[in-house]
Amino acid sequence: MLTDARKLIQQASHIAVLTGAGISAESGIPTFRGPGGLWRNFRPEDLATPEAFARDPILVWEWYQWRRGIIAHAEPHAGHFALVALESRKGRTGFTLITQNVDGLHDRAGSSAPLKLHGDIWTLRCTCCAHSWVDLRPDFNPFPPACPECQSLARPGVVWFGESLPQDTWRLAEQAVTFAELILVIGTSSVVFPAAGLIPLARHVGTKVIEVNPEETPISDSVDFHFRAPAGELLPLLLE
Ligand code: BV8
Ligand code: ZN
Protein backbone atom coordinates (compact mmCIF):
# COMPACT_ATOMS: atom_id res chain seq x y z
CA MET A 1 0.00 0.00 0.00
CA LEU A 2 2.78 2.43 0.97
CA THR A 3 4.81 1.55 -2.14
CA ASP A 4 1.83 2.04 -4.45
CA ALA A 5 0.95 5.36 -2.81
CA ARG A 6 4.57 6.52 -2.98
CA LYS A 7 4.62 5.69 -6.71
CA LEU A 8 1.41 7.72 -7.24
CA ILE A 9 3.06 10.66 -5.46
CA GLN A 10 6.24 10.38 -7.51
CA GLN A 11 4.31 10.21 -10.80
CA ALA A 12 1.91 13.11 -10.09
CA SER A 13 3.06 16.39 -11.62
CA HIS A 14 0.41 18.40 -9.69
CA ILE A 15 -0.46 17.53 -6.09
CA ALA A 16 -2.99 19.35 -3.86
CA VAL A 17 -2.95 18.84 -0.09
CA LEU A 18 -5.90 19.58 2.24
CA THR A 19 -5.11 19.65 5.96
CA GLY A 20 -7.29 19.96 9.06
CA ALA A 21 -6.79 20.22 12.81
CA GLY A 22 -5.49 16.62 12.97
CA ILE A 23 -2.15 17.58 11.41
CA SER A 24 -1.47 19.81 14.44
CA ALA A 25 -2.61 17.23 17.02
CA GLU A 26 0.91 15.79 17.49
CA SER A 27 2.14 19.36 18.05
CA GLY A 28 -0.11 19.45 21.13
CA ILE A 29 -2.91 21.59 19.67
CA PRO A 30 -6.38 20.18 20.50
CA THR A 31 -8.52 19.26 17.50
CA PHE A 32 -12.07 20.58 17.16
CA ARG A 33 -13.94 17.34 17.55
CA GLY A 34 -11.42 15.17 19.36
CA PRO A 35 -10.29 14.95 23.00
CA GLY A 36 -9.13 18.27 24.50
CA GLY A 37 -11.11 20.25 21.93
CA LEU A 38 -13.54 21.49 24.55
CA TRP A 39 -12.88 24.65 26.55
CA ARG A 40 -14.86 25.35 29.73
CA ASN A 41 -17.41 22.87 28.25
CA PHE A 42 -18.07 25.04 25.21
CA ARG A 43 -18.06 23.44 21.73
CA PRO A 44 -16.13 25.30 19.00
CA GLU A 45 -19.40 25.61 17.03
CA ASP A 46 -20.81 27.58 20.02
CA LEU A 47 -17.93 30.05 20.13
CA ALA A 48 -16.70 30.33 16.51
CA THR A 49 -19.74 32.33 15.35
CA PRO A 50 -20.50 36.05 14.84
CA GLU A 51 -23.53 35.63 17.15
CA ALA A 52 -21.39 34.36 20.03
CA PHE A 53 -18.97 37.25 19.54
CA ALA A 54 -21.80 39.81 19.41
CA ARG A 55 -23.33 38.30 22.56
CA ASP A 56 -20.12 37.98 24.59
CA PRO A 57 -16.93 39.26 22.88
CA ILE A 58 -14.93 38.84 26.10
CA LEU A 59 -15.78 35.11 26.36
CA VAL A 60 -14.91 34.53 22.70
CA TRP A 61 -11.65 36.48 23.07
CA GLU A 62 -10.76 34.44 26.19
CA TRP A 63 -11.19 31.28 24.11
CA TYR A 64 -8.95 32.63 21.30
CA GLN A 65 -6.37 33.90 23.81
CA TRP A 66 -6.31 30.40 25.39
CA ARG A 67 -5.76 28.84 21.94
CA ARG A 68 -3.12 31.41 20.94
CA GLY A 69 -1.25 30.58 24.16
CA ILE A 70 -1.22 26.85 23.31
CA ILE A 71 -0.24 27.46 19.67
CA ALA A 72 2.55 29.88 20.68
CA HIS A 73 4.22 26.99 22.59
CA ALA A 74 3.57 24.39 19.89
CA GLU A 75 6.17 23.38 17.30
CA PRO A 76 5.62 21.98 13.80
CA HIS A 77 6.36 18.22 13.68
CA ALA A 78 7.86 15.80 11.12
CA GLY A 79 4.56 15.69 9.24
CA HIS A 80 4.59 19.46 8.60
CA PHE A 81 8.22 19.26 7.47
CA ALA A 82 7.52 16.29 5.17
CA LEU A 83 4.97 18.48 3.32
CA VAL A 84 7.64 21.20 2.95
CA ALA A 85 10.04 18.60 1.46
CA LEU A 86 7.33 17.48 -1.00
CA GLU A 87 6.66 21.10 -1.98
CA SER A 88 10.34 21.71 -2.73
CA ARG A 89 10.48 18.52 -4.82
CA LYS A 90 7.34 19.34 -6.84
CA GLY A 91 8.03 23.08 -7.16
CA ARG A 92 5.53 25.93 -6.80
CA THR A 93 3.54 24.97 -9.91
CA GLY A 94 3.33 21.29 -8.93
CA PHE A 95 2.16 21.68 -5.33
CA THR A 96 -0.67 23.53 -3.54
CA LEU A 97 -1.23 23.36 0.22
CA ILE A 98 -4.79 24.13 1.33
CA THR A 99 -5.45 24.29 5.05
CA GLN A 100 -8.51 24.70 7.28
CA ASN A 101 -6.20 25.39 10.21
CA VAL A 102 -5.69 28.87 11.61
CA ASP A 103 -2.65 28.02 13.79
CA GLY A 104 0.09 29.05 11.34
CA LEU A 105 2.20 25.89 11.86
CA HIS A 106 2.50 25.23 8.12
CA ASP A 107 4.07 28.71 7.70
CA ARG A 108 6.44 28.12 10.63
CA ALA A 109 7.50 24.76 9.12
CA GLY A 110 8.42 26.54 5.88
CA SER A 111 5.43 25.96 3.57
CA SER A 112 5.67 28.88 1.16
CA ALA A 113 2.06 29.94 0.52
CA PRO A 114 -0.62 27.84 2.24
CA LEU A 115 -4.16 28.69 1.12
CA LYS A 116 -5.83 29.48 4.48
CA LEU A 117 -9.51 28.78 3.90
CA HIS A 118 -10.53 29.74 7.45
CA GLY A 119 -8.12 32.62 8.09
CA ASP A 120 -5.33 32.99 10.63
CA ILE A 121 -5.51 33.16 14.45
CA TRP A 122 -2.52 35.59 14.52
CA THR A 123 -4.32 38.14 12.32
CA LEU A 124 -6.78 40.58 13.91
CA ARG A 125 -9.44 42.61 12.14
CA CYS A 126 -11.28 45.74 13.21
CA THR A 127 -15.04 45.38 13.82
CA CYS A 128 -15.50 48.94 12.51
CA CYS A 129 -12.96 50.05 9.90
CA ALA A 130 -11.32 47.81 7.28
CA HIS A 131 -7.99 47.63 9.14
CA SER A 132 -6.37 44.21 9.72
CA TRP A 133 -2.99 43.48 11.29
CA VAL A 134 -0.83 40.70 12.76
CA ASP A 135 -0.53 40.58 16.58
CA LEU A 136 1.63 37.73 17.96
CA ARG A 137 1.16 38.53 21.65
CA PRO A 138 -0.20 35.48 23.52
CA ASP A 139 -1.67 37.85 26.16
CA PHE A 140 -3.39 41.06 25.11
CA ASN A 141 -2.92 44.21 27.14
CA PRO A 142 -5.35 45.93 27.19
CA PHE A 143 -7.81 43.03 26.86
CA PRO A 144 -9.75 42.66 24.60
CA PRO A 145 -7.50 44.09 21.82
CA ALA A 146 -8.53 47.29 20.03
CA CYS A 147 -7.93 48.53 16.51
CA PRO A 148 -4.72 50.63 16.39
CA GLU A 149 -6.36 52.91 13.80
CA CYS A 150 -9.75 53.70 15.34
CA GLN A 151 -9.63 52.03 18.81
CA SER A 152 -12.78 49.98 18.06
CA LEU A 153 -13.05 46.36 19.28
CA ALA A 154 -10.87 43.93 17.29
CA ARG A 155 -11.96 40.44 16.25
CA PRO A 156 -9.88 37.34 15.34
CA GLY A 157 -9.01 37.24 11.61
CA VAL A 158 -10.69 33.86 11.16
CA VAL A 159 -13.79 32.66 9.26
CA TRP A 160 -16.60 31.81 11.72
CA PHE A 161 -19.49 29.42 11.12
CA GLY A 162 -22.06 31.19 8.98
CA GLU A 163 -19.40 33.45 7.44
CA SER A 164 -18.23 33.04 3.88
CA LEU A 165 -14.68 32.05 3.03
CA PRO A 166 -12.30 34.55 1.36
CA GLN A 167 -13.40 34.38 -2.28
CA ASP A 168 -10.00 34.53 -3.97
CA THR A 169 -8.51 31.88 -1.66
CA TRP A 170 -11.52 29.63 -2.22
CA ARG A 171 -11.28 29.94 -5.99
CA LEU A 172 -7.56 29.09 -5.93
CA ALA A 173 -8.32 26.00 -3.81
CA GLU A 174 -11.03 24.82 -6.23
CA GLN A 175 -8.68 25.30 -9.18
CA ALA A 176 -5.87 23.43 -7.40
CA VAL A 177 -7.95 20.32 -6.64
CA THR A 178 -9.46 20.16 -10.13
CA PHE A 179 -6.04 20.65 -11.78
CA ALA A 180 -4.19 18.14 -9.56
CA GLU A 181 -3.84 14.44 -10.45
CA LEU A 182 -3.59 13.63 -6.74
CA ILE A 183 -4.97 15.13 -3.50
CA LEU A 184 -3.65 14.25 -0.04
CA VAL A 185 -6.32 14.74 2.67
CA ILE A 186 -4.64 14.90 6.07
CA GLY A 187 -6.14 15.21 9.56
CA THR A 188 -9.65 16.41 8.78
CA SER A 189 -13.01 14.95 9.80
CA SER A 190 -14.35 16.25 6.45
CA VAL A 191 -17.58 17.55 8.02
CA VAL A 192 -17.08 21.31 7.64
CA PHE A 193 -18.23 22.83 4.36
CA PRO A 194 -17.46 24.20 1.87
CA ALA A 195 -13.86 22.94 2.59
CA ALA A 196 -14.97 19.29 2.74
CA GLY A 197 -16.64 19.79 -0.66
CA LEU A 198 -13.18 20.00 -2.26
CA ILE A 199 -12.78 16.24 -1.93
CA PRO A 200 -15.88 15.13 -3.92
CA LEU A 201 -15.06 17.92 -6.38
CA ALA A 202 -11.59 16.37 -6.91
CA ARG A 203 -13.00 12.85 -7.23
CA HIS A 204 -15.60 14.08 -9.71
CA VAL A 205 -12.82 15.05 -12.14
CA GLY A 206 -10.96 11.76 -11.58
CA THR A 207 -8.33 13.03 -9.12
CA LYS A 208 -6.83 10.25 -6.99
CA VAL A 209 -7.24 10.73 -3.22
CA ILE A 210 -4.97 9.59 -0.39
CA GLU A 211 -6.33 10.09 3.15
CA VAL A 212 -4.16 10.15 6.29
CA ASN A 213 -6.30 9.90 9.44
CA PRO A 214 -6.28 7.43 12.37
CA GLU A 215 -10.11 7.44 12.28
CA GLU A 216 -12.71 6.61 9.62
CA THR A 217 -14.28 9.72 8.07
CA PRO A 218 -17.21 10.23 5.64
CA ILE A 219 -14.74 10.06 2.72
CA SER A 220 -12.72 7.03 3.89
CA ASP A 221 -14.60 4.41 1.88
CA SER A 222 -14.34 6.41 -1.35
CA VAL A 223 -10.62 7.26 -1.37
CA ASP A 224 -7.89 5.37 -3.25
CA PHE A 225 -5.70 4.91 -0.16
CA HIS A 226 -6.63 5.45 3.51
CA PHE A 227 -3.65 5.31 5.90
CA ARG A 228 -5.09 4.89 9.40
CA ALA A 229 -2.09 6.44 11.11
CA PRO A 230 -1.02 9.70 12.73
CA ALA A 231 0.29 12.31 10.27
CA GLY A 232 3.57 12.81 12.15
CA GLU A 233 4.47 9.13 11.72
CA LEU A 234 3.03 8.40 8.27
CA LEU A 235 3.90 11.51 6.23
CA PRO A 236 7.70 11.11 6.49
CA LEU A 237 7.32 7.48 5.28
CA LEU A 238 4.96 8.52 2.49
CA LEU A 239 6.66 11.68 1.28
CA GLU A 240 10.40 11.42 1.92
C1 BV8 B 1 -20.50 28.99 5.36
C2 BV8 B 1 -12.05 28.90 11.93
C3 BV8 B 1 -22.33 30.22 4.58
C4 BV8 B 1 -12.42 29.41 13.27
C5 BV8 B 1 -13.64 27.16 11.28
C6 BV8 B 1 -25.84 25.91 10.00
C7 BV8 B 1 -25.64 27.28 10.17
C8 BV8 B 1 -24.62 27.97 9.55
C9 BV8 B 1 -23.74 27.27 8.72
C10 BV8 B 1 -23.95 25.90 8.58
C11 BV8 B 1 -24.97 25.22 9.18
N1 BV8 B 1 -24.89 23.90 8.84
C12 BV8 B 1 -23.83 23.72 8.03
C13 BV8 B 1 -23.25 24.92 7.85
C14 BV8 B 1 -22.11 25.19 7.09
C15 BV8 B 1 -20.96 25.27 8.10
C16 BV8 B 1 -20.56 23.84 8.43
O1 BV8 B 1 -20.00 23.17 7.61
N2 BV8 B 1 -20.89 23.40 9.67
C17 BV8 B 1 -20.53 22.04 10.08
C18 BV8 B 1 -20.25 22.00 11.59
C19 BV8 B 1 -21.68 21.10 9.71
N3 BV8 B 1 -19.92 25.96 7.41
C20 BV8 B 1 -19.80 27.29 7.56
O2 BV8 B 1 -20.48 27.96 8.30
C21 BV8 B 1 -18.77 27.94 6.66
N4 BV8 B 1 -19.35 29.08 6.04
O3 BV8 B 1 -21.02 27.96 5.05
O4 BV8 B 1 -21.00 30.21 5.09
C22 BV8 B 1 -22.32 31.34 3.66
C23 BV8 B 1 -22.27 31.08 2.29
C24 BV8 B 1 -22.30 32.14 1.44
C25 BV8 B 1 -22.34 33.44 1.95
C26 BV8 B 1 -22.36 33.67 3.32
C27 BV8 B 1 -22.34 32.61 4.19
C28 BV8 B 1 -17.57 28.41 7.48
C29 BV8 B 1 -16.85 27.22 8.04
C30 BV8 B 1 -15.57 27.71 8.70
C31 BV8 B 1 -15.75 27.73 10.20
N5 BV8 B 1 -14.47 28.05 10.82
N6 BV8 B 1 -12.47 27.50 11.83
C32 BV8 B 1 -11.50 28.87 14.33
O5 BV8 B 1 -10.67 27.97 14.06
O6 BV8 B 1 -11.63 29.36 15.46
S1 BV8 B 1 -14.00 25.53 11.11
C33 BV8 B 1 -13.06 24.53 12.08
O7 BV8 B 1 -13.42 23.21 11.70
C34 BV8 B 1 -11.56 24.60 11.88
O8 BV8 B 1 -11.14 25.41 10.82
C35 BV8 B 1 -11.24 23.16 11.54
O9 BV8 B 1 -10.10 23.01 10.82
C36 BV8 B 1 -12.44 22.83 10.78
C37 BV8 B 1 -12.67 21.45 10.34
O10 BV8 B 1 -12.43 20.61 11.39
P1 BV8 B 1 -11.16 19.63 11.21
O11 BV8 B 1 -9.99 20.43 10.80
O12 BV8 B 1 -11.56 18.50 10.34
O13 BV8 B 1 -10.91 19.19 12.68
P2 BV8 B 1 -11.72 18.09 13.49
O14 BV8 B 1 -11.38 18.25 14.93
O15 BV8 B 1 -13.16 18.10 13.06
O16 BV8 B 1 -11.12 16.70 12.96
C38 BV8 B 1 -9.76 16.40 13.22
C39 BV8 B 1 -9.47 15.13 12.45
O17 BV8 B 1 -8.09 14.83 12.63
C40 BV8 B 1 -10.25 13.93 12.95
O18 BV8 B 1 -10.79 13.23 11.84
C41 BV8 B 1 -9.19 13.07 13.65
O19 BV8 B 1 -9.44 11.69 13.48
C42 BV8 B 1 -7.95 13.45 12.91
N7 BV8 B 1 -6.72 13.31 13.68
C43 BV8 B 1 -6.54 13.36 15.03
N8 BV8 B 1 -5.23 13.17 15.32
C44 BV8 B 1 -4.58 13.04 14.13
C45 BV8 B 1 -5.51 13.11 13.08
N9 BV8 B 1 -5.17 13.00 11.79
C46 BV8 B 1 -3.86 12.79 11.51
N10 BV8 B 1 -2.90 12.69 12.46
C47 BV8 B 1 -3.23 12.82 13.77
N11 BV8 B 1 -2.26 12.72 14.73
ZN1 ZN C 1 -10.54 50.26 13.17
Side-chain angles (χ1 to χ4, degrees):
M1 179 141 134
L2 199 56
T3 318
D4 297 341
R6 283 169 60 91
K7 206 182 296 167
L8 213 52
I9 291 165
Q10 260 132 25
Q11 284 161 353
S13 45
H14 300 89
I15 293 182
V17 179
L18 174 64
T19 63
I23 196 167
S24 296
E26 288 150 281
S27 296
I29 300 173
T31 61
F32 273 73
R33 291 162 191 86
L38 288 184
W39 174 77
R40 294 194 205 160
N41 293 328
F42 285 101
R43 293 177 324 129
E45 284 82 4
D46 302 338
L47 294 168
T49 68
E51 294 75 21
F53 188 71
R55 191 172 49 245
D56 191 344
I58 301 291
L59 178 76
V60 174
W61 262 122
E62 283 173 349
W63 179 50
Y64 277 93
Q65 185 159 261
W66 173 73
R67 289 172 63 194
R68 287 163 56 105
I70 292 174
I71 296 166
H73 293 98
E75 294 297 327
H77 57 66
H80 293 100
F81 293 115
L83 289 176
V84 177
L86 178 65
E87 174 180 354
S88 54
R89 274 209 311 281
K90 294 292 176 183
R92 288 297 304 278
T93 54
F95 178 93
T96 306
L97 174 59
I98 305 159
T99 188
Q100 300 169 87
N101 299 342
V102 298
D103 58 31
L105 260 61
H106 285 305
D107 306 80
R108 284 174 47 199
S111 294
S112 57
L115 294 178
K116 299 177 183 175
L117 298 180
H118 297 158
D120 180 337
I121 202 166
W122 298 111
T123 301
L124 276 60
R125 276 208 322 261
C126 182
T127 52
C128 262
C129 73
H131 191 55
S132 92
W133 64 100
V134 173
D135 185 327
L136 300 175
R137 291 174 297 163
D139 291 313
F140 293 112
N141 182 18
F143 178 86
C147 170
E149 300 288 315
C150 73
Q151 277 64 50
S152 305
L153 177 65
R155 61 162 281 176
V158 300
V159 178
W160 280 327
F161 289 102
E163 294 185 325
S164 47
L165 277 57
Q167 275 312 309
D168 46 355
T169 309
W170 174 249
R171 243 198 307 278
L172 286 170
E174 279 185 315
Q175 279 166 14
V177 300
T178 41
F179 196 59
E181 295 101 334
L182 175 64
I183 178 168
L184 308 182
V185 183
I186 304 163
T188 181
S189 57
S190 297
V191 296
V192 173
F193 287 82
L198 290 170
I199 302 147
L201 175 67
R203 295 194 56 71
H204 180 68
V205 295
T207 306
K208 296 266 187 224
V209 183
I210 295 176
E211 180 183 26
V212 178
N213 191 324
E215 307 285 329
E216 289 293 312
T217 68
I219 66 161
S220 298
D221 54 13
S222 67
V223 299
D224 297 273
F225 296 94
H226 175 199
F227 291 98
R228 295 196 60 159
E233 284 168 33
L234 199 279
L235 290 179
L237 299 176
L238 188 63
L239 305 180
E240 283 168 0

